[in-house]
Amino acid sequence: MTPMRTLATAGRVLTQIRHDPRTVGLLLVVPSLLIGLVAWIFTDTDVFSDIGPAMIALFPFIVMFLVTSISTLRERRSGTLERLLSMPMGKGDFILGYALAFGLLAIFQTAIAVSFAVWVCGLEIEGSLWLLFAVAVADALLGTALGLLASAFARSEFQVVQFMPVLVFPQILLGGIFIPRDQLPEALEIVSEWLPLSFAIDALQAVAGDTESTEWIVAKLLVIAAWIVGSIVLGSITLRRRTP
Amino acid sequence: MVNNSDAAPGAAVIVENLTVVRGGTPVLDQLSLAVPRGRIVGLLGPSGSGKTTLMRAIVGVQVVKSGTIEVLGLPAGSRALRTRMGYVTQQASVYDDLTVRQNLAYFRRIVGAPASDVDRVIERTDLDTVAGRLAGSLSGGQRSRVSLAAALLGAPEVLVLDEPTVGLDPVLRVELWGLFRSLADDGATLLISSHVMDEAKRCDRLLLMRDGRLLADDSVRGVLEVTGTDDVEQAFLRLIERGEPDLRSTNETEAQR
């Protein structure tokens, strides 16, 4: 792995996206629009103030997971992945290059989503906006990292698409959006305590309600960061130069 | 059966008893062959004969069941080989949403070649006029030349080209074969697959494949002599009829050159 090849890859991914303005547009505004839709649905109730923070966790996470795994899927289909892996390209360079490029996009996307939720949809944030932003960015990066892991782990295109329901849906179902996590059956509650999205949702809700100390939230943030690093490392290890 | 790889010292590629199984069936079965340095070796056979699998195995991106492959004295897939080999897949593997120059500039940085290499390969593959266009907007032939240009970056010693001339107009095809010849003259070793039998005569040696086995590993002249024809397609059919492969060592046939 070399910084030169990692940065070259990140730059190349961003150049590719720049050639497709519509993708950039969708990437940046779709999570905000979905948050707006949820706020609209619950206009006459106070539900949005409860689930709003979770929505900030949810939509950028899903969008980044999808976009990342589809981009690497394209790389597989076009044969460019095979070409790169026959070149002196480190597997880590490839994964980290993508993580950097999409990480940068995730920062912009999250900034827009958080601003939209707070200033347009009127989501009340009692705690620090900066902390909210930090957790939301980490959460979007988590989506990118898991998307990379899924596509590295997969051996075929179909498998990549299948990993979306496998990796993402259980985290949404068990994340405390449908029912608070402490009301889940015990076994599921234990599982939910290990899922990274649960940490993001807990942290965002804590910032929104200002119910926990900064240290508590930073601790959650560190767990998410560990998941991000772990996924990227695992993705680099599982990516195969040789395929059947 | 003569194992010709023993008689090929200093060969660029030596394959011994290679078996590759895909989806439960053997695609390559106990294959042994050698590709001499500085030569153009044509890999010919009908589609499904295992040409691409053999090439992927030599490049080191194919899961291999058994056997050994040495490229430039190193096991295929070695890290040190990745800058010394160029590989062009059958389908042009380039980024459609980047321009020709952006594609090459990126691959150039991955290979670690000097910046001037981008212009050099653009010129060699005659892509000057389309260098600023998106690869996705080019014709099939132009795209495959971008893919070829990327493989030339860093001036690799061994080039593995999977059907590089498919779908090209005859003028371009002749030009590309001229390019291949000049690369070989500069010392590069080229393994080029094709299913167009008349391209065979432009090669120094031929590997004729069918059903994962070799029908022939010989010089072009040798294959034609053994089968008593002047046409590679006919030679192919006669070798099938004969039921015995024409495997003659590099040394034996090099003497004939």
Side-chain angles (χ1 to χ4, degrees):
Chain A
M1 241 178 90
T2 63
M4 204 269 273
R5 294 194 173 98
T6 306
L7 291 175
T9 303
R12 184 264 298 173
V13 173
L14 289 172
T15 312
Q16 276 180 289
I17 294 172
R18 221 180 53 217
H19 283 294
D20 185 1
R22 194 183 295 180
T23 294
V24 180
L26 285 171
L27 200 60
L28 294 181
V29 303
V30 163
S32 301
L33 292 180
L34 290 171
I35 290 168
L37 180 64
V38 173
W40 193 9
I41 291 172
F42 295 108
T43 310
D44 298 327
T45 68
D46 49 11
V47 175
F48 185 66
S49 58
D50 291 336
I51 65 165
M55 295 301 118
I56 294 178
L58 204 56
F59 295 129
F61 174 74
I62 295 175
V63 168
M64 290 315 292
F65 180 94
L66 267 181
V67 169
T68 312
S69 52
I70 300 279
S71 322
T72 40
L73 171 69
R74 282 177 61 201
E75 189 107 32
R76 225 176 252 279
R77 287 196 61 127
S78 65
T80 44
L81 179 61
E82 184 163 292
R83 155 164 266 156
L84 289 175
L85 292 179
S86 75
M87 287 178 164
M89 175 85 164
K91 294 186 285 182
D93 290 324
F94 180 80
I95 300 282
L96 205 56
Y98 262 95
L100 286 178
F102 282 111
L104 189 68
L105 287 170
I107 291 174
F108 284 107
Q109 182 197 55
T110 308
I112 295 171
V114 168
S115 310
F116 190 82
V118 172
W119 286 300
V120 180
C121 304
L123 183 66
E124 279 174 29
I125 305 295
E126 308 282 339
S128 154
L129 257 184
W130 283 110
L131 214 46
L132 185 82
F133 180 64
V135 177
V137 166
D139 173 64
L141 286 173
L142 176 69
T144 295
L146 288 179
L148 286 170
L149 175 61
S151 57
F153 198 70
R155 294 282 172 272
S156 71
E157 297 140 16
F158 267 124
Q159 288 182 12
V160 176
V161 181
Q162 298 278 14
F163 276 118
M164 160 90 188
V166 171
L167 282 178
V168 172
F169 286 0
Q171 297 199 54
I172 299 173
L173 294 173
L174 298 175
I177 299 171
F178 293 98
I179 178 173
R181 289 202 293 114
D182 55 12
Q183 291 173 28
L184 286 167
E186 202 187 332
L188 291 181
E189 190 186 340
I190 294 167
V191 172
S192 79
E193 273 164 16
W194 287 92
L195 298 176
L197 190 64
S198 303
F199 287 89
I201 293 175
D202 284 357
L204 288 173
Q205 278 170 340
V207 179
D210 203 10
T211 51
E212 301 285 348
S213 66
T214 305
E215 289 74 27
W216 187 89
I217 291 161
V218 170
K220 301 274 167 189
L221 200 58
L222 288 176
V223 174
I224 301 170
W227 268 92
I228 295 170
V229 173
S231 304
I232 288 175
V233 170
L234 196 60
S236 308
I237 294 171
T238 50
L239 193 65
R240 287 277 169 269
R241 278 187 201 274
R242 289 179 186 269
T243 47
Chain B
M1 200 167 108
V2 187
N3 187 340
N4 64 342
S5 51
D6 296 333
V13 180
I14 300 174
V15 175
E16 274 182 65
N17 301 321
L18 176 66
T19 299
V20 173
V21 176
R22 294 180 80 177
T25 47
V27 181
L28 298 180
D29 193 9
Q30 292 285 315
L31 202 66
S32 295
L33 57 92
V35 177
R37 276 180 204 253
R39 295 273 181 271
I40 302 181
V41 175
L43 177 58
L44 281 90
S47 96
S49 57
K51 301 190 297 287
T52 298
T53 305
L54 173 60
M55 293 186 135
R56 295 185 73 235
I58 290 172
V59 172
V61 294
Q62 172 69 49
V63 175
V64 166
K65 183 157 179 277
S66 63
T68 58
I69 308 171
E70 256 186 30
V71 182
L72 302 171
L74 296 163
S78 300
R79 183 185 296 263
L81 283 176
R82 289 184 204 136
T83 47
R84 300 173 67 189
M85 285 184 89
Y87 174 42
V88 178
T89 50
Q90 197 167 342
Q91 178 198 12
S93 43
V94 294
Y95 299 100
D96 280 344
D97 40 11
L98 292 182
T99 66
V100 172
R101 189 174 289 280
Q102 284 168 342
N103 264 292
L104 296 173
Y106 172 59
F107 289 125
R108 197 276 301 170
R109 292 179 73 185
I110 299 305
V111 174
S116 59
D117 238 28
V118 172
D119 284 318
R120 181 181 68 85
V121 298
I122 285 179
E123 201 202 307
R124 284 208 98 161
T125 50
D126 206 11
L127 287 166
D128 312 67
T129 51
V130 293
R133 277 175 56 189
L134 290 182
S137 73
L138 302 179
S139 71
Q142 288 168 328
R143 280 179 80 239
S144 60
R145 270 186 289 151
V146 180
S147 199
L148 175 65
L152 299 181
L153 290 162
E157 294 157 63
V158 176
L159 279 162
V160 177
L161 314 177
D162 199 352
E163 307 236 354
T165 58
V166 72
L168 292 186
D169 82 73
V171 178
L172 255 167
R173 222 187 305 161
V174 170
E175 274 177 32
L176 273 189
W177 277 100
L179 169 63
F180 299 155
R181 179 52 65 191
S182 77
L183 290 167
D185 289 344
D186 292 346
T189 305
L190 291 90
L191 179 63
I192 304 175
S193 78
S194 175
H195 62 262
V196 187
M197 295 287 178
D198 66 271
E199 289 192 334
K201 288 189 176 171
R202 300 180 182 277
C203 303
D204 298 314
R205 290 184 64 82
L206 292 181
L207 296 165
L208 299 187
M209 274 185 87
R210 188 167 184 258
D211 293 338
R213 292 165 181 273
L214 279 183
L215 283 179
D217 177 359
D218 201 344
S219 68
V220 180
R221 219 171 77 193
V223 172
L224 297 179
E225 266 172 24
V226 163
T227 53
T229 63
D230 57 357
D231 174 82
V232 179
E233 183 126 15
Q234 278 298 323
F236 197 90
L237 292 171
R238 295 234 174 129
L239 283 165
I240 295 172
E241 278 168 25
R242 192 169 88 146
E244 187 196 327
D246 162 30
L247 305 173
R248 294 204 285 178
S249 78
T250 317
N251 294 342
E252 234 173 278
T253 44
E254 286 291 291
Q256 296 175 4
R257 276 173 63 90

